[in-house]
Amino acid sequence: MTYFSALGNPLSGSGFASSGLPGTTAWRALLALAVVFVLLATTGWTAVRKHHADAGPRASALLAWEKGSLAGRPLPDPDAPAGRIARYFASLDTAQQHTLARRYPLVVGNLAGAPLPLRYRANHTALRTALRVERARTTDERLTDEGRHEATRRMHRFASMLRPGRQILSFDPTGRGHAAEVFGDLAHARRVSVVVPGVDTELLTFEKSARRYAAPVGMADALQKEQEAAAPRVRTATIAWADYTAPVGLGVDAASGELAQEGAARLDRLVRSLPATLRATAHSAPGGDEADSSAQRAAHTTGSTDRSATDPSTTDRSTTARNTAARSAAGRTAAPKVSLFCHSYGSVVCGLAAGRLPSSVTDIAVAGSPGMRADNAAGLRTRAHVWAMRDHDDWIADVPHMDVGGLGHGADPVADGFGARHLSAAGAEGHTGYFVPHTRSLANFAAVGTGSYQDVTCDSSDPECSFVPEPR
């Protein structure tokens, strides 16, 4: 469900002219205020209170990690910069890495900077544990019928995520849950696409059998396949990123930016972790390919306060050599170019993240956007190319694009005055049809994700959208 759709799309067919007739703006403002009051009346003012993370298995795992140690050394702060985490894991041998993944799977599996194969391994372990828990809950007489039914659904979801070949980049079963999955070879990708979904995203909606391309997994899988078909020589990977707390259905959360702010911080951390993660992977996994990386110093290198730094007096020769190689390669590994594909409320997340994201983010594309919490593209404060699309029957077009008392997400990204490059969405249908195969919308996303701007099909309102000047 997407916001406003729960009311049967009350704004659809409102009769407002699109030609800017006198009084139209005033009427739309009044209608927006009416919608705000409906939201407050039906969900309550308490909906805007701060969301607190639920206590659960990940919180317990983090507490155990904080108290833990390895070979007499304390474990690194899980909130440390990804580069520091990568250096820590580079100082460990394979057996030590696997020990940490086995003891603390819900920490290692979500640890920015840890080697990719190790994160996949840890999340596989965490999923098996979560599956056992949910299987037991399906027959727990202390639960209601509804509780046992939800446990059954979660059990099936976790079993699906455990299928061979799946690359789960993050997993947290706490509450509604978070997850992210990689399609393609992230370790060697030179272009990485990140799909940022919107309202009602959680573990149970991470993938769907019906309406497959309306869920993060289907979106990312379709995009990766389209990129590989359109530009087979470009090494790409795509991440289905459902690793933030999204609003549930219609309510103040969906109309406000609080959850999007939290999501923006998590998205920024993901993007910034990619170079460090790939460096760590190159030195901990067999066959790590360093030769394909160009020169660039890793971002976010911090001072000498790393509590996990190796003591030279207690380090054997092999570990010293490994650390030297890791430091040398850290200066040779470039960040992959990153494109964000932000759907519905996900575009609010991307809009709020845009100004803080690193220069490796070259493109931000939004579809079915309620707004990006900026008056125009310049207000996003990003050097990335900003792209926008909306299909002809997406109900989001009827939602007033304004900000009233912090509710609403501002200007329409496909409006002429916003300044985004307007892509064709031909073939897409409704609010969730942008990633369906054989649509122009998906083909355009793939062209942006592979940097093949010459293959972009512009909307008729912006025929020169594909002209992208060469970087200086």
Side-chain angles (χ1 to χ4, degrees):
M1 183 188 298
T2 46
Y3 39 95
F4 298 107
S5 62
L7 292 181
N9 193 6
L11 302 182
S12 180
S14 60
F16 290 154
S18 60
S19 57
L21 294 177
T24 295
T25 301
W27 278 109
R28 290 181 70 86
L30 288 173
L31 185 54
L33 287 171
V35 170
V36 168
F37 285 124
V38 169
L39 288 173
L40 293 176
T42 57
T43 62
W45 289 97
T46 56
V48 299
R49 291 179 180 174
K50 182 172 179 61
H51 292 253
H52 296 285
D54 296 328
R58 177 158 160 76
S60 299
L62 287 168
L63 182 61
W65 175 276
E66 182 180 344
K67 296 179 179 180
S69 63
L70 182 69
R73 300 162 52 196
L75 303 178
D77 182 351
D79 294 323
R84 186 182 302 178
I85 298 295
R87 290 194 298 275
Y88 172 77
F89 277 95
S91 73
L92 306 178
D93 60 32
T94 301
Q96 289 173 318
Q97 291 184 6
H98 288 179
T99 295
L100 291 180
R102 184 178 64 255
R103 289 180 183 172
Y104 313 101
L106 283 173
V107 178
V108 175
N110 296 278
L111 199 56
L116 281 174
L118 196 67
R119 290 182 65 171
Y120 298 156
R121 182 189 188 99
N123 285 321
H124 187 86
T125 299
L127 277 161
R128 284 188 300 178
T129 300
L131 178 65
R132 289 195 297 270
V133 170
E134 297 302 333
R135 181 179 290 117
R137 294 179 72 239
T138 62
T139 57
D140 191 338
E141 294 299 328
R142 294 171 297 178
L143 299 179
T144 63
D145 289 343
E146 182 180 359
R148 288 192 293 272
H149 176 66
E150 179 172 325
T152 299
R153 293 180 65 200
R154 286 170 65 93
M155 179 183 70
H156 291 320
R157 171 63 61 246
F158 299 157
S160 174
M161 294 172 70
L162 280 166
R163 289 200 308 265
R166 298 193 67 166
Q167 302 175 126
I168 305 302
L169 183 65
S170 63
F171 171 69
D172 180 3
T174 304
R176 292 164 55 216
H178 294 170
E181 182 171 3
V182 173
F183 295 86
D185 183 2
L186 183 58
H188 301 113
R190 301 314 308 145
R191 285 191 170 269
V192 176
S193 297
V194 181
V195 173
V196 183
V199 167
D200 284 333
T201 296
E202 56 176 274
L203 280 173
L204 289 178
T205 60
F206 186 51
E207 57 181 322
K208 298 179 181 179
S209 298
R211 299 175 64 242
R212 168 175 169 75
Y213 303 109
V217 167
M219 293 176 174
D221 187 25
L223 178 56
Q224 178 61 20
K225 288 176 179 174
E226 188 77 13
Q227 290 177 152
E228 291 173 346
R233 294 188 178 183
V234 179
R235 289 180 297 171
T236 59
T238 302
I239 300 173
W241 189 76
D243 198 13
Y244 81 105
T245 301
V248 179
L250 172 65
V252 173
D253 283 339
S256 71
E258 181 181 8
L259 293 179
Q261 283 282 12
E262 297 173 3
R266 295 178 71 89
L267 180 59
D268 177 59
R269 181 164 175 79
L270 168 75
V271 173
R272 293 186 183 277
S273 75
L274 291 177
T277 297
L278 303 190
R279 284 200 309 275
T281 301
H283 300 296
S284 64
D289 186 356
E290 302 168 23
D292 293 322
S293 301
S294 58
Q296 179 180 337
R297 279 285 174 189
H300 294 287
T301 301
T302 57
S304 58
T305 58
D306 184 354
R307 62 184 175 132
S308 65
T310 303
D311 180 357
S313 65
T314 61
T315 305
D316 60 29
R317 291 183 179 180
S318 62
T319 301
T320 301
R322 185 165 55 249
N323 289 342
T324 301
R327 285 193 297 269
S328 175
R332 296 198 305 270
T333 304
K337 292 183 178 180
V338 179
S339 299
L340 306 181
F341 297 92
C342 320
H343 177 249
S344 193
Y345 189 84
S347 66
V348 185
V349 176
C350 292
L352 290 173
R356 72 178 80 178
L357 294 170
S359 59
S360 58
V361 176
T362 58
D363 298 274
I364 301 174
V366 302
S369 174
M372 301 181 74
R373 296 210 152 232
D375 292 333
N376 49 48
L380 296 173
R381 297 179 293 109
T382 179
R383 297 182 64 182
H385 310 122
V386 180
W387 311 81
M389 68 168 68
R390 185 170 65 221
D391 68 49
H392 68 285
D393 63 348
D394 188 338
W395 58 261
I396 203 77
D398 289 329
V399 175
H401 285 82
M402 52 184 65
D403 182 345
V404 181
L407 297 179
H409 303 301
D412 186 353
V414 301
D416 291 341
F418 190 83
R421 299 167 184 271
H422 196 176
L423 294 166
S424 170
E429 295 183 358
H431 187 58
T432 57
Y434 296 98
F435 290 85
V436 174
H438 312 300
T439 58
R440 178 50 53 188
S441 52
L442 181 61
N444 276 334
F445 282 160
V448 170
T450 58
S452 307
Y453 304 124
Q454 72 281 0
D455 295 332
V456 160
T457 300
C458 301
D459 186 81
S460 58
S461 65
D462 186 11
E464 297 182 356
C465 80
S466 61
F467 175 70
V468 177
E470 290 292 331
R472 296 179 178 179

